Amino acid sequence: MSPHRPGLSDAQARFSLGDEADEAEQPALAPGSRLPSYIRDHRARLRQRFSEGGAAALPDYELLELLLFRTLPRIDVKPLARRLIDRFGDLAGVLAAPEAQLTAVEGAGPSVAQDLAIVAAAARRMTRARVMNRQVISSWDALLDYCHMTMAHRETEQFRILFLDRRNTLIADEEQARGTVDHVPVYPREVVKRALELNASALILVHNHPSGDPTPSPQDIAMTGQIRAAAEALGIQIHDHLIIGRSRETSFRSEGLL
């Protein structure tokens, strides 16, 4: 039977035990002892640089260190931050990584994975708030930021639809389908049906390429044409189709494909 702390529910006890499991990986400190001075000084320097220069003053692994300070308060987190960046490429890749992959990295237990997931969720909420119920034309850069935050580091394809009203205000953002590493099934009838349910006047189609290369495939072009034909038959416009890669995106409208 799992031990319980007095006054904790079963769910709280399980959560607490998960934290203890992470703490068990950290070197124990003697009662009343403090962190070694080199760790304290390093943390103080990073915090000061962030306070004075913001995120731009720190590379990804040091910004990640700042996040890890609170999760792992008793150890030097620089080696873990570097391992995570080496494994996932950059800070965005770390924040987008699934829990199973994060906890496979030496030193990253369940509490690390959960805290990073909370940061990622907060970032997505913030970027989404910048585009919802706003005119797309005036918030295009924010829209691209949101699409990259949500989709750029996914390991499988995802197809999303942004629904716009007559004023080109974003009224809904929904995931339509998920697929494999190089294919996602999309059904034009379902796309149009949902647009009618939401009384949308226009759509922006968005999907990602896990390969990182946002170049449209022949299948992407054909699928876009099918959706466009089905939508325009009912008076619904397709404003654009965005393909999101790791570091850039492709706009069908800009490329003359719409």
Side-chain angles (χ1 to χ4, degrees), residues 157-168:
E157 286 199 12
Q158 180 191 61
F159 186 84
R160 304 185 73 85
I161 305 175
L162 309 180
F163 300 89
L164 313 177
D165 65 12
R166 294 185 182 278
R167 297 175 297 173
N168 287 327

Side-chain angles (χ1 to χ4, degrees), residues 127-128 130-131 138-147:
T127 55
R128 189 173 190 271
R130 293 174 59 200
V131 297
S138 62
S139 57
W140 188 251
D141 288 343
L143 181 68
L144 294 179
D145 287 345
Y146 170 64
C147 291

Side-chain angles (χ1 to χ4, degrees), residues 6 49 57 79 127 143 153-154 163 175 179 207 220 231 235 237 253:
R49 284 169 55 200
T127 55
L143 181 68
H153 291 274
R154 293 181 61 90
F163 300 89
E175 177 184 321
H207 84 280
D220 293 333
Q237 293 185 327
R253 180 72 62 185

